[in-house]
Amino acid sequence: MKRRAIQYDIGNPLTASLMTRHEISTGLYAPIRVLLRESPEGEVAFEYDRPVSTFGQFGDERVDIVARKLDESLENLLEKAAN
């Protein structure tokens, strides 16, 4: 069965720099990768790893603050797109 999907890297270099200045290894995960895909039933899904989870592994509150803002921004964007 053939299904359609496309992956995007989304992000802002300024936001990434807010994290990498504290934890350089966060650069492995910025920009954020998202997947827009079609399910077997033909429904569309938007998938991504939540920034707060991905960047939380570093245990740095300064990085966590940025990650929480990213989570909120992505959630707001998806809510607007769904309406």
Side-chain angles (χ1 to χ4, degrees), residues 45-65:
F46 187 84
E47 296 182 10
Y48 63 96
D49 290 327
R50 291 187 57 216
V52 75
S53 299
T54 302
F55 295 108
Q57 68 181 304
F58 297 101
D60 187 314
E61 181 59 28
R62 299 166 296 185
V63 172
D64 293 344
I65 290 168

Side-chain angles (χ1 to χ4, degrees), residues 24-48:
I24 192 69
S25 295
T26 60
L28 289 168
Y29 305 99
I32 296 168
R33 291 174 24 168
V34 298
L35 181 69
L36 182 60
R37 66 161 178 85
E38 180 182 31
S39 73
E41 297 78 28
E43 297 172 332
V44 175
F46 187 84
E47 296 182 10
Y48 63 96

